[in-house]
Amino acid sequence: MGAHEHRPVELPGGPVNAEGQTVNEPLLGALMGAAINGCTPCVDRLLEEVAADPACAVRLVEVSRLTGLRLNHGELPGFMTDDDDVSGPAAPEFKRLVRAVTAAEPVTEVCEQMTAADRRAAAGYAIELLVGQLTLANSIGFDDEETLAQMCCAISALLVEWWLSTAPMARREFTEAWEQYVFGHRAAGLPGNGVNALALVLGAVLHHQARQDRVSVQEVRTLVFTRVLPVLQEPEQVGAILSAFVAPPDTDDVTVPVKRFARSNRDFLAELCTFAQRTITMHLKDCPHGLREQDHACTLAHRGPALDNSAGAQVAASPSAGGRRVALPRIGYREDEPVEDAPAGYGADHTWQINTDRILLQRWDADIARWNETISEESSISEPNYQHETGLETLACPACGSRGPFLAEGRWGDPLTLHCRCGVTIMSPLDAPPDDLGRRLLKRLIWCEADPAYAARRLMPPLTRYREREHQARASSWYRGPLDEDIALAEAIDLSGDDLIEALAAVLKPRMPERHGGHTLTLLLLQVLEALSAPAVRDTADGRELADAVRGLVTDLKTENERWAPTREPVVDRLRAWRAEGGPQVWQDAWLRTLEMADRHFARNRVGDGRITDGCAAVALAQYLLAREADTGVDQITIDDVRSLMPPGGADRNAAEIPRQWGARLQALGHDLDDTDDAVTRTWRHLCTESALTRGFEALLGERSCYRIHFRNT
């Protein structure tokens, strides 16, 4: 090998950079080989060529920067970025490009704006530093342990996901805010639904706080993450932190577009800062260690167990002097305010101690809601398998998972204190508002202890409200009978026996203590079943009244369903029944063609108010009339021919005249309008009733019709 020939050393990155520009890899390989061999003449000559090619100069800086990160546990030394740092001799031009890479600026464009001499200085320092870094790495190796930046990004992702999972309305608000910038997102190439972007911004601020507090990777769980709240109130400061944040390289697909979009759109950055504040505030509010402490400084160590638990259990990290306490899980749970004041005969200072086998709660499930939303947006799913978002479940101890027994303690109106047999105390915050879940739950437990019949009495108001809403709906023009789910449930309940509990259990098949999903009536009857299963409740006057009310409601729903049963019949089934009544061949052909059209347009429709079925019958009759009068087959009749039978001004203006005209034409064809054995005239007489012909015709073929029916051959 000649004195000026060096084995090339390939640099990572590929032949094209992130901005789509070609990188001269052979040139960089030759330069790297010469530099490793210490050949100054070749290095000087090749650096001149690199300086003339901005893409090559940038690649050298990028590789040097990444190597520095691997040698310095994910952090960039000050001498590589800070112009005021005197710990190293880095060229200012090199630092400028490193900062541009970190900030996700269009670094090649920045490099192009530099003079050839500036690029030469940046490239010269980059190759010198890179050779030194590789020499050091060869002796001590690279550090592949998790970095502080990685830890902060992972922690922020957990914090954000916990918040969005336990606060469903927050997720909806965040999604709506994210969608305001949808066009900017697409232009910037931002992936996903925004959660990664929010986690990145929060991770950058947490990393900044960790470095200020000199928190190492090993000590990161002691980070007081609530101290970032003042920073998040200053979007400009957050923008500077985000720009300088050396994010983990494996997050580049999110980091680069987020940094670029945040730099160009300050409103977007301000939105992310607002949601990051709310994320931290929620964790501070729900930290178990803060239940009895004012201005508690919440740390990651406190939140760790809750974040690691997929169920979101609020478990304290360690015991305190007052015993181990956990927060009452309350996100998504609902408990109505008791309908009665405190039980009589007990003083305001009376402290209740109540043993309860289990506590039944109603809960809205955010995970199921997200699943339903996902499948509703999936166009490939023709029949989405939606699940019930609301369900009943028994309260589980956040520490051990036990669903009872518990010892409830407190006075009327106090926050709830609940003791589990595992030794953990489950508590509401002492400053909880009057409508707090724990306060209401304790009131319910107190009443059930003072008077077991209350378990039945408390269910009468929601049962009454349900029945009142059902009866109010029956007066509406849109009402077509009870809901399908309510009917299926009511029809399955056998009221012929004396044991209502057995009848309800056979249909509901309760899955408690596990979650049992359902709609309003299902959940109401599940609570009735739970209450009346206890003889101490069932055998009281209130228990018997509740049982009678349930029987009355179920009977009423069955009766109403029978009244509306004809409207629930599928449209196509009703039409097939009419065709099956017989008639001449042309009439059968007209029905067959109409059924083929209905199969395409109304396969999933039910009879409802009858307009669709009446309209289809009118279309069949119109085809029959036109085909007989023209002495041709119905396949020659077009939809426009059928539409021509509706006179100018629309069918509504001729509600009485059109049936008479059609009757006269039928008579001219030889039909006796009074013949009850004639299938054609039977259909005509049906269409004459209550303007069925004109209403149906207008629904299917009128100018304002939402249907665009057609025949296959038209």
Side-chain angles (χ1 to χ4, degrees):
M1 182 180 293
H4 296 288
E5 293 181 3
H6 310 282
R7 184 184 299 277
V9 177
E10 183 179 353
L11 293 182
V16 179
N17 63 19
E19 295 164 357
Q21 296 162 316
T22 301
V23 177
N24 190 338
E25 289 189 295
L27 173 59
L28 291 176
L31 173 60
M32 195 65 194
I36 289 176
N37 288 337
C39 183
T40 301
C42 286
V43 169
D44 290 341
R45 173 176 57 80
L46 294 171
L47 275 175
E48 294 298 329
E49 296 182 44
V50 170
D53 187 340
C56 282
V58 168
R59 174 61 60 78
L60 271 178
V61 172
E62 289 175 336
V63 174
S64 177
R65 174 182 175 276
L66 285 174
T67 307
L69 288 176
R70 294 191 64 189
L71 280 171
N72 292 276
H73 206 57
E75 304 290 342
L76 282 177
F79 71 82
M80 293 181 68
T81 58
D82 190 353
D83 288 334
D84 296 327
D85 191 288
V86 295
S87 60
E93 298 82 5
F94 172 82
K95 296 178 180 179
R96 171 69 184 93
L97 292 178
V98 170
R99 291 195 297 267
V101 172
T102 303
E105 296 178 12
V107 65
T108 305
E109 181 181 327
V110 172
C111 191
E112 288 172 349
Q113 296 170 358
M114 298 169 65
T115 65
D118 289 343
R119 288 195 293 271
R120 170 68 170 75
Y125 183 77
I127 192 67
E128 180 182 342
L129 180 61
L130 183 55
V131 171
Q133 290 170 333
L134 293 177
T135 302
L136 181 61
N138 189 50
S139 62
I140 67 172
F142 285 118
D143 189 347
D144 292 324
E145 293 184 4
E146 195 166 23
T147 67
L148 184 61
Q150 288 174 313
M151 287 288 290
C152 289
C153 285
I155 288 164
S156 67
L158 282 173
L159 292 170
V160 169
E161 192 55 45
W162 179 90
W163 174 57
L164 295 178
S165 297
T166 53
M169 291 306 298
R171 180 177 286 276
R172 178 170 295 180
E173 291 174 25
F174 177 69
T175 300
E176 291 173 353
W178 179 258
E179 289 175 350
Q180 293 177 8
Y181 303 94
V182 63
F183 296 110
H185 298 164
R186 292 173 182 170
L190 275 171
N193 58 4
V195 174
N196 287 342
L198 179 58
L200 175 67
V201 170
L202 182 55
V205 180
L206 285 175
H207 179 263
H208 173 76
Q209 186 65 45
R211 294 190 66 183
Q212 277 197 332
D213 292 349
R214 300 182 183 278
V215 174
S216 66
V217 174
Q218 293 75 21
E219 301 169 331
V220 72
R221 290 175 63 81
T222 67
L223 175 64
V224 181
F225 63 86
T226 49
R227 289 184 59 187
V228 305
L229 286 172
V231 177
L232 291 170
Q233 294 171 4
E234 302 291 340
E236 291 294 330
Q237 185 180 355
V238 173
I241 292 171
L242 180 63
S243 179
F245 177 50
V246 183
D250 58 357
T251 65
D252 279 351
D253 60 331
V254 174
T255 301
V256 172
V258 167
K259 286 188 175 185
R260 289 179 176 175
F261 194 42
R263 186 165 55 247
S264 64
N265 193 316
R266 291 300 176 183
D267 290 339
F268 166 74
L269 179 60
E271 289 272 18
L272 291 181
C273 289
T274 298
F275 283 105
Q277 288 181 63
R278 292 175 61 183
T279 299
I280 297 299
T281 302
M282 177 67 79
H283 285 273
L284 172 65
K285 178 181 178 182
D286 287 338
C287 177
H289 284 264
L291 291 174
R292 298 185 184 277
E293 302 169 20
Q294 297 297 320
D295 302 321
H296 173 69
C298 193
T299 70
L300 293 173
H302 295 168
R303 301 306 309 164
L307 297 173
D308 291 338
N309 188 336
S310 60
Q314 307 297 296
V315 183
S318 59
S320 66
R324 190 179 180 199
R325 306 186 303 273
V326 301
L328 174 71
R330 57 188 178 80
I331 302 299
Y333 290 101
R334 175 188 171 186
E335 176 73 20
D336 291 333
E337 181 69 23
V339 295
E340 302 176 31
D341 291 332
Y346 298 92
D349 293 333
H350 180 75
T351 299
W352 294 81
Q353 290 189 325
I354 304 165
N355 284 294
T356 177
D357 289 335
R358 64 183 188 182
I359 299 174
L360 198 63
L361 290 171
Q362 186 169 310
R363 176 172 172 257
W364 183 84
D365 195 304
D367 290 334
I368 294 178
R370 284 197 298 275
W371 164 257
N372 289 341
E373 183 178 358
T374 299
I375 62 175
S376 70
E377 296 173 352
E378 178 52 61
S379 59
S380 64
I381 302 177
S382 58
E383 296 184 2
N385 180 27
Y386 294 115
Q387 300 181 38
H388 290 293
E389 297 177 9
T390 304
L392 284 173
E393 59 189 55
T394 52
L395 176 66
C397 171
C400 70
S402 170
R403 298 182 180 273
F406 299 112
L407 173 65
E409 184 179 21
R411 296 168 300 180
W412 180 267
D414 276 356
L416 176 66
T417 298
L418 203 63
H419 302 286
C420 178
R421 58 186 175 184
C422 72
V424 165
T425 300
I426 308 163
M427 304 177 65
S428 296
L430 289 181
D431 59 350
D435 61 351
D436 177 69
L437 170 72
R439 292 185 189 274
R440 290 182 170 183
L441 184 54
L442 180 57
K443 289 179 179 179
R444 191 227 296 181
L445 295 174
I446 289 174
W447 253 115
C448 289
E449 177 75 3
D451 179 9
Y454 176 78
R457 195 161 62 246
R458 64 182 286 267
L459 294 175
M460 285 300 298
L463 196 69
T464 302
R465 287 195 297 269
Y466 177 88
R467 187 162 185 171
E468 288 176 349
R469 285 196 299 269
E470 170 65 23
H471 281 264
Q472 289 171 359
R474 295 175 188 178
S476 303
S477 59
W478 49 261
Y479 184 77
R480 293 293 176 268
L483 297 175
D484 289 345
E485 284 186 303
D486 289 355
I487 287 303
L489 183 59
E491 292 292 344
I493 298 174
D494 182 7
L495 296 178
S496 60
D498 295 332
D499 194 339
L500 177 63
I501 303 305
E502 183 178 337
L504 291 177
V507 174
L508 296 172
K509 296 180 174 60
R511 290 186 287 274
M512 264 77 74
E514 301 301 326
R515 182 181 187 275
H516 187 136
H519 61 298
T520 303
L521 183 59
T522 299
L523 300 184
L524 193 52
L525 294 183
L526 277 169
Q527 293 178 80
V528 169
L529 176 59
E530 173 78 6
L532 297 183
S533 295
V537 179
R538 183 174 61 248
D539 297 337
T540 63
D542 291 305
R544 290 188 289 271
E545 181 184 0
L546 178 63
D548 290 342
V550 169
R551 288 179 179 275
L553 173 62
V554 172
T555 301
D556 179 62
L557 289 174
K558 289 183 176 183
T559 303
E560 186 68 5
N561 180 51
E562 290 177 3
R563 188 166 75 90
W564 286 94
T567 69
R568 297 178 182 275
E569 183 183 9
V571 164
V572 176
D573 287 357
R574 173 70 63 85
L575 300 182
R576 287 197 181 102
W578 280 345
R579 178 175 181 257
E581 293 179 1
Q585 187 59 49
V586 178
W587 178 241
Q588 289 292 302
D589 292 343
W591 266 118
L592 186 62
R593 200 169 183 229
T594 302
L595 272 167
E596 188 272 338
M597 175 272 294
D599 270 329
R600 293 197 314 274
H601 293 284
F602 309 118
R604 297 186 178 183
N605 290 75
R606 297 186 182 275
V607 172
D609 63 1
R611 290 181 187 236
I612 294 177
T613 50
D614 291 341
C616 289
V619 168
L621 184 57
Q623 291 181 85
Y624 173 78
L625 281 173
L626 293 170
R628 284 286 310 278
E629 291 172 346
D631 193 20
T632 186
V634 294
D635 60 334
Q636 300 302 309
I637 306 302
T638 68
I639 200 68
D640 289 333
D641 295 334
V642 173
R643 191 178 283 109
S644 70
L645 293 184
M646 185 167 56
D652 285 346
R653 297 186 181 182
N654 300 272
E657 184 61 25
I658 293 177
R660 284 196 294 268
Q661 292 176 358
W662 287 32
R665 296 171 79 160
L666 285 173
Q667 286 179 314
L669 293 174
H671 288 279
D672 180 357
L673 300 184
D674 295 324
D675 185 357
T676 58
D677 294 329
D678 187 337
V680 178
T681 57
R682 280 202 304 272
T683 299
W684 174 80
R685 281 195 300 275
H686 166 77
L687 292 174
C688 288
T689 306
E690 296 181 353
S691 304
L693 189 153
T694 53
R695 288 190 313 116
F697 218 64
E698 188 71 26
L700 263 62
L701 296 170
E703 293 181 358
R704 297 181 180 179
S705 173
C706 60
Y707 306 111
R708 297 293 181 263
I709 66 171
H710 62 278
F711 300 132
R712 285 289 190 191
N713 60 344
T714 58

